[in-house]
Amino acid sequence: MHPPSPAAAAMDFSQNSLFGYMEDLQELTIIERPVRRSLKTPEEIERLTVDEDLSDIERAVYLLSAGQDIQGTSVIANLPFLMRQNPAETLRRVLPKVREALHVAGVEMQLTAAVSFLTILQDESVSAHTYAHSFLQVILLHLEHRDAGVSNAWLETLLSVIEVLPKDTLRHEILNPLVSKAQLSQTVQSRLVSCKILGKLTNKFDALAIKREILPLVKSLCQDVEHEVRSCMCRQLENIAQGIGTELSKSVVLPELIELSRDEGSSVRLAAFETLVNLLDIFDTDDRSQTILPVVKSFCEKSFKADESILISLSFHLGKLCHGLYGIFTPDQHLRFLEFYKKLCTLGLQQENGHNENQIPPQILEQEKKYISVRKNCAYNFPAMIVFVDPKNFHMELYSTFFCLCHDPEVPVRYTIAICFYEVSKLLNSGVYLIHKELITLLQDESLEVLDALIDHLPEILELMSTGGESIVQENKLSSLPDLVPALTAAEQRAAASLKWRTHEKLLQKYACLPQVISSDQIYYRFLQRMFTIMMTNNVLPVQKAASRTLCIFLRYNRKQEQRHEVIQKLIEQLGQGKSYWNRLRFLDTCEFIIEIFSKSFFCKYFFLPAIELTHDPVANVRMKLCYLLPKVKSTLKIPADKHLLQQLEMCVRKLLCQEKDKDVLAIVKRTVLELDRMEMSMDAEQLEKEKQQNDGRPMSDKNFEKKRRDSKTPTSLPKSIPISVPGSSSATPSTSKEIKKSKLIRSQSFNNQAFHAKYGNLDKCTTSKSSTAAYTPSVSGLSKTSMISLTDDSFRTRNTSSAPSSFSSNTSLPSTSRGTGNSIDPKGSGSKDTQPRKATLKSRKSNP
């Protein structure tokens, strides 16, 4: 949906338009009238008013005694809080009133009481014994409420209570009364409640007690005259079988299930079938082959003649059924079950499509919905069916079915097969190349729901695609799948054009896996510019950040130095020096990702100076975001190689302290100063030892150097840091450990004096003369006077390079800092070793805010 143009959006004051506005206002007036009538009269307000001086307990007692129903419901909803606050008084004074109110309470109060009683149990406000004494009888009293919703709510509370009550209480308060409640003379609702309670009680008693006290009731209810009761009791046989063990289940539960599977009621047969499937694991091979398999076979054969709800259940349990009976099928039975599954996968597709939905009878529409559910369940069970036929036979036995499910006309079916696509890929292993086309089909699906389901495991799927096939060469990656890149780009554009930004964000995050599966040239020409466009034009912040991080990963694995330089320059010029403050904020996000993904030297070489230049940004939000980033920026520095960068960082912080006028930014600067001062600097032990040996005038022996390196905290695997000459700093300045400690002390005192001065107004005096900046004592000792003078505002501003193109050739210089004359490609990356390194020098530029 495109935003209207300014002309179209302008208000139209024509006569027809005004009449339309009047009609709208009249409709609003009509809507407001019932609201005004519903306002309380002064008399009603007086009746609802309660003395504010009453305590919580006294107010609850008063409202339950003399208040209206809505007030009593409010008190019951607040009962868990009262129990936590004062359990003794609540049980003594409030609970009796609750019992009285529930005798004549309506549905809403009853439902509220059931939830509150359950919450009190879960909060463990009182002991199990106290709870049983105070609340159990109230729960049991309302189990047979005339409203089915209320009865079920109290039943759920009771089933949870059974979990914590001791055996003696369960036997006397629940099991013994259940003997009479389960009799045929009781109501159907009472017998249904008894079935569910019996299923829960089996987990609380031993097998002997179950056999003596519970199983007689179970058998009686399994033979009840009402099919609802038989079906309910049949579904509880699973819990009972797990409680009594395998031997009793074979002699008691299995015969009951076999008899119920032949019941005249379809709901009873369905319950028996589902229970048998769930209990397959506890029966041995003989029981499964001789007793259960004939029942299942008969059930499947009759399912197409029965109600469609039978087919829905059968299709859902078919995977578990084939897995449980695997190994006992004859070849003929195996083939029959496979054909039965294939028939379910296309159920309803043979009918003619293209008819008008309004002209279809309601019963036909309902039938089609059930067929869709059947095919959806078949898609859910597809991985289990691959195991059933063996992955080696997939192409011959199941590929055509998989093709149909991926091209099903209904979204729920394609959505489900998209969820299962990763499992299918894992099962096929070396045969994963067989479903390449189906991957492309699902990536190009018109429904974003299908795409969203597929991309959850897209990196794993693409990895299997690139390495699973025996004929696929790793160097060529996915060369055998030429349609992949167009499908991926089209999927991203479709997600970007929709309102589902979370799907777009997830897709961009998953694209970070592409360097592992396609070439860097394909990424550079098909995805990198798209990431830039999203970062600069998209209006959703999480999407922009996802694009930024993925772009950094693309850059991390790019092997071509020229392409790397072009991307780096675009990031600096189009984001860091962009006209929009929003782009400059995204540049800082990108800097954070670069610190996370790349090496410290890479960030210092290309992004350190462009980042701290934003201390002069005219927008307070940009300066504030930079302040939050400064600790991470400082963590990339290594002493002594980066001492001049540390000097410039401290100068920027000092300027912020002296010149910042925004109070929010200034407060963050002061907190950042303290955090920066507490940070420990990373030391380059190798460089320190070299400089010390040079200062002493002695050559450094290999043995002495190895000893110093082992004693240093810096890992020996770090690359050697060789500082290059930078304008404004002395390249021959020595820096020993004592000088570093001394400079840190000076910096600490300097920062603390600035941050904790009693009158913050004095900080503004720093801007009155340039001499105050020149008189600043450098925190890294030994820098020349020329270095101090050069560190002025102009040293952080870049020249306006309006004539420079957005992408530059190989002879274009990038801003470079220390650790520099080596290969410009990140040491962590896999840059091309054949590419000759370039010397890059730091140029002073004028910023373009």
Side-chain angles (χ1 to χ4, degrees):
M1 186 177 180
H2 300 286
S5 62
M11 186 173 290
D12 184 10
F13 286 102
S14 62
Q15 186 175 5
N16 293 334
S17 179
L18 286 175
F19 279 126
Y21 294 146
M22 292 297 295
E23 292 176 359
D24 292 341
L25 291 174
Q26 289 176 357
E27 290 179 1
L28 290 174
T29 305
I30 294 173
I31 292 173
E32 287 182 354
R33 283 173 186 168
V35 177
R36 291 174 180 171
R37 291 196 195 103
S38 66
L39 295 176
K40 302 297 182 183
T41 63
E43 293 78 11
E44 291 174 326
I45 294 175
E46 181 66 25
R47 288 199 302 270
L48 293 172
T49 303
V50 181
D51 188 0
E52 295 182 357
D53 295 333
L54 294 176
S55 65
D56 291 340
I57 298 295
E58 292 171 341
R59 186 184 299 110
V61 172
Y62 173 77
L63 291 177
L64 288 170
S65 302
Q68 297 188 4
D69 286 347
I70 189 172
Q71 293 174 314
T73 303
S74 176
V75 170
I76 293 176
N78 200 42
L79 199 59
F81 171 76
L82 296 177
M83 286 295 298
R84 289 191 293 267
Q85 188 181 47
N86 194 344
E89 285 298 302
T90 303
L91 293 176
R92 188 176 67 86
R93 299 182 60 188
V94 179
L95 192 58
K97 296 294 182 181
V98 171
R99 292 196 194 99
E100 294 176 7
L102 288 177
H103 281 299
V104 293
V107 172
E108 184 177 357
M109 185 179 290
Q110 289 276 355
L111 293 174
T112 304
V115 173
S116 293
F117 281 25
L118 180 58
T119 305
I120 293 170
L121 175 71
Q122 294 169 344
D123 289 346
E124 298 181 355
S125 303
V126 292
S127 65
H129 176 76
T130 303
Y131 187 93
H133 181 266
S134 303
F135 295 94
L136 184 57
Q137 290 303 320
V138 182
I139 296 172
L140 293 172
L141 181 64
H142 298 282
L143 274 179
E144 299 180 25
H145 195 276
R146 59 182 178 276
D147 185 274
V150 173
S151 178
N152 288 332
W154 284 114
L155 178 60
E156 291 300 320
T157 301
L158 177 62
L159 296 180
S160 299
V161 171
I162 289 174
E163 292 288 344
V164 300
L165 293 181
K167 290 183 181 180
D168 292 340
T169 304
L170 290 175
R171 179 175 279 107
H172 292 97
E173 300 292 339
I174 298 178
L175 183 56
N176 291 342
L178 207 61
V179 175
S180 61
K181 296 291 184 181
Q183 299 301 318
L184 287 174
S185 58
Q186 298 294 323
T187 63
V188 173
Q189 183 177 353
S190 176
R191 304 203 299 275
L192 290 173
V193 169
S194 300
C195 292
K196 295 180 180 179
I197 295 175
L198 285 173
K200 196 71 174 181
L201 286 175
T202 52
N203 296 325
K204 302 296 294 184
F205 293 95
D206 54 32
L208 184 60
I210 294 172
K211 182 179 180 180
R212 187 178 62 250
E213 301 180 44
I214 294 179
L215 285 184
L217 293 176
V218 170
K219 290 182 178 180
S220 174
L221 291 169
C222 284
Q223 299 171 4
D224 196 278
V225 294
E226 296 292 338
H227 68 89
E228 295 176 77
V229 179
R230 298 196 302 274
S231 175
C232 183
M233 192 66 253
C234 183
R235 294 190 180 277
Q236 299 302 319
L237 289 178
E238 180 180 353
N239 293 331
I240 294 171
Q242 293 172 351
I244 63 179
T246 304
E247 293 302 322
L248 273 177
S249 296
K250 290 175 62 177
S251 60
V252 178
V253 175
L254 185 56
E256 291 292 337
L257 284 173
I258 298 302
E259 184 177 350
L260 291 170
S261 67
R262 305 187 185 101
D263 196 276
E264 59 183 10
S266 60
S267 62
V268 181
R269 295 197 303 271
L270 180 60
F273 169 76
E274 293 179 354
T275 305
L276 275 173
V277 173
N278 292 333
L279 291 176
L280 280 175
D281 292 338
I282 73 170
F283 298 122
D284 56 28
T285 304
D286 291 338
D287 291 328
R288 280 181 283 175
S289 59
Q290 298 175 11
T291 306
I292 298 176
L293 182 57
V295 174
V296 171
K297 183 180 176 183
S298 174
F299 187 82
C300 293
E301 290 173 351
K302 297 177 181 178
S303 59
F304 282 100
K305 302 176 184 179
D307 184 23
E308 287 80 8
S309 58
I310 301 289
L311 287 175
I312 294 175
S313 175
L314 181 57
S315 62
F316 181 76
H317 290 89
L318 196 58
K320 185 187 294 186
L321 179 64
C322 291
H323 176 72
L325 297 178
Y326 187 78
I328 66 172
F329 284 119
T330 64
D332 182 61
Q333 291 171 338
H334 188 280
L335 182 60
R336 285 188 181 183
F337 268 88
L338 181 60
E339 292 300 323
F340 179 74
Y341 171 76
K342 291 180 181 179
K343 188 175 181 180
L344 291 178
C345 288
T346 58
L347 187 65
L349 296 180
Q350 298 85 357
Q351 300 178 2
E352 293 185 4
N353 293 325
H355 43 250
N356 189 353
E357 224 176 76
N358 296 328
Q359 300 175 356
I360 303 176
Q363 61 270 21
I364 301 298
L365 281 176
E366 188 65 28
Q367 185 184 55
E368 288 185 357
K369 290 180 181 178
K370 292 181 179 179
Y371 288 161
I372 293 171
S373 298
V374 170
R375 300 201 302 274
K376 177 183 175 182
N377 291 339
C378 288
Y380 168 77
N381 282 304
F382 193 84
M385 297 308 297
I386 293 180
V387 177
F388 183 67
V389 302
D390 195 308
K392 296 178 181 178
N393 301 322
F394 169 78
H395 187 264
M396 183 181 299
E397 301 289 352
L398 283 176
Y399 175 74
S400 60
T401 303
F402 186 69
F403 178 88
C404 291
L405 292 173
C406 290
H407 291 81
D408 194 278
E410 300 298 332
V411 172
V413 181
R414 302 197 305 273
Y415 172 82
T416 306
I417 200 66
I419 291 176
C420 299
F421 199 94
Y422 174 51
E423 292 297 327
V424 173
S425 302
K426 285 197 301 182
L427 289 170
L428 292 180
N429 197 8
S430 60
V432 71
Y433 66 92
L434 295 170
I435 58 174
H436 280 180
K437 293 180 180 179
E438 283 63 43
L439 174 63
I440 303 300
T441 298
L442 294 176
L443 281 172
Q444 296 174 339
D445 197 281
E446 60 183 9
S447 172
L448 281 180
E449 294 180 9
V450 177
L451 178 63
D452 189 87
L454 181 67
I455 62 179
D456 281 335
H457 292 285
L458 185 62
E460 295 87 349
I461 293 171
L462 293 180
E463 182 182 0
L464 288 169
M465 292 284 183
S466 62
T467 62
E470 296 175 358
S471 61
I472 298 177
V473 182
Q474 176 63 24
E475 287 75 11
N476 295 334
K477 295 187 177 179
L478 288 178
S479 59
S480 63
L481 194 58
D483 296 333
L484 176 63
V485 172
L488 290 172
T489 55
E492 187 276 321
Q493 291 172 1
R494 209 162 56 252
S498 71
L499 297 178
K500 298 182 178 180
W501 64 264
R502 288 181 177 84
T503 299
H504 193 198
E505 177 195 15
K506 187 198 300 186
L507 186 62
L508 294 175
Q509 291 171 346
K510 300 300 181 180
Y511 278 6
C513 75
L514 292 182
Q516 309 299 328
V517 295
I518 61 177
S519 66
S520 59
D521 280 341
Q522 288 176 308
I523 291 174
Y524 179 77
Y525 291 110
R526 301 300 297 270
F527 293 98
L528 261 173
Q529 185 56 45
R530 180 59 181 166
M531 296 300 114
F532 268 113
T533 303
I534 294 171
M535 291 169 63
M536 299 186 68
T537 62
N538 197 281
N539 295 325
V540 182
L541 180 58
V543 172
Q544 287 183 312
K545 287 188 174 183
S548 174
R549 193 178 193 284
T550 299
L551 184 143
C552 291
I553 294 175
F554 289 166
L555 180 63
R556 169 77 167 76
Y557 289 98
N558 191 287
R559 294 175 178 270
K560 295 189 177 180
Q561 190 175 18
E562 293 80 4
Q563 293 178 358
R564 270 197 166 195
H565 282 178
E566 182 178 354
V567 174
I568 292 170
Q569 178 146 340
K570 280 187 176 181
L571 286 172
I572 294 172
E573 292 182 353
Q574 297 183 21
L575 292 181
Q577 300 166 4
K579 294 181 179 180
S580 170
Y581 85 99
W582 191 255
N583 289 342
R584 300 195 295 275
L585 287 173
R586 299 294 72 78
F587 176 74
L588 292 176
D589 288 331
T590 306
C591 287
E592 190 169 1
F593 293 136
I594 288 172
I595 293 173
E596 172 192 344
I597 296 169
F598 288 81
S599 67
K600 295 179 179 180
S601 60
F602 181 87
F603 176 81
C604 288
K605 185 169 186 177
Y606 295 111
F607 293 95
F608 186 92
L609 292 180
I612 64 174
E613 281 176 5
L614 294 178
T615 54
H616 306 282
D617 197 278
V619 179
N621 282 6
V622 178
R623 302 194 302 274
M624 185 181 299
K625 189 174 185 65
L626 176 62
C627 290
Y628 284 120
L629 188 62
L630 285 179
K632 291 185 178 180
V633 171
K634 184 180 179 181
S635 69
T636 63
L637 299 178
K638 189 188 296 184
I639 297 299
D642 298 326
K643 56 189 176 185
H644 59 288
L645 295 182
L646 178 62
Q647 175 76 18
Q648 296 194 30
L649 174 63
E650 292 174 351
M651 182 67 72
C652 290
V653 175
R654 178 171 291 278
K655 285 181 179 293
L656 282 173
L657 281 170
C658 294
Q659 299 174 6
E660 183 58 55
K661 293 181 173 58
D662 188 283
K663 61 179 182 180
D664 296 325
V665 178
L666 184 60
I668 295 171
V669 170
K670 292 173 182 177
R671 290 201 300 268
T672 304
V673 165
L674 297 178
E675 186 174 353
L676 290 172
D677 192 51
R678 288 194 297 266
M679 290 179 63
E680 292 293 334
M681 292 298 298
S682 191
M683 300 294 178
D684 190 337
E686 183 178 337
Q687 185 68 18
L688 284 172
E689 185 64 25
K690 285 182 179 180
E691 292 189 1
K692 182 178 180 182
Q693 294 289 347
Q694 290 172 3
N695 293 339
D696 294 343
R698 298 190 305 271
M700 180 175 60
S701 64
D702 293 340
K703 187 179 295 185
N704 188 27
F705 167 70
E706 289 297 331
K707 182 177 184 298
K708 292 292 184 180
R709 189 169 65 174
R710 284 196 302 269
D711 295 341
S712 173
K713 294 182 180 178
T714 305
T716 58
S717 61
L718 291 176
K720 296 181 179 180
S721 299
I722 305 175
I724 64 173
S725 60
V726 178
S729 65
S730 176
S731 61
T733 302
S735 177
T736 63
S737 299
K738 293 182 179 180
E739 289 172 338
I740 293 171
K741 294 179 180 178
K742 181 179 178 181
S743 67
K744 184 177 178 182
L745 179 60
I746 294 173
R747 183 178 74 255
S748 176
Q749 293 174 350
S750 174
F751 280 169
N752 289 338
N753 289 339
Q754 289 288 349
F756 290 101
H757 201 283
K759 296 182 178 180
Y760 294 148
N762 293 337
L763 297 175
D764 296 331
K765 296 179 182 180
C766 297
T767 61
T768 57
S769 69
K770 294 184 178 179
S771 61
S772 62
T773 302
Y776 162 61
T777 303
S779 62
V780 179
S781 60
L783 289 181
S784 63
K785 186 175 181 180
T786 306
S787 174
M788 283 192 297
I789 296 174
S790 66
L791 293 174
T792 59
D793 287 351
D794 293 337
S795 68
F796 299 102
R797 299 183 179 271
T798 58
R799 292 196 186 101
N800 187 4
T801 57
S802 59
S803 62
S806 60
S807 62
F808 59 94
S809 60
S810 59
N811 60 355
T812 307
S813 297
L814 284 170
S816 177
T817 59
S818 68
R819 315 183 193 181
T821 59
N823 195 346
S824 62
I825 294 179
D826 172 30
K828 288 184 181 178
S830 54
S832 175
K833 296 182 180 179
D834 300 331
T835 307
Q836 292 297 326
R838 298 181 179 82
K839 292 184 180 180
T841 58
L842 173 66
K843 292 184 178 182
S844 61
R845 299 183 179 183
K846 193 171 183 179
S847 65
N848 184 18

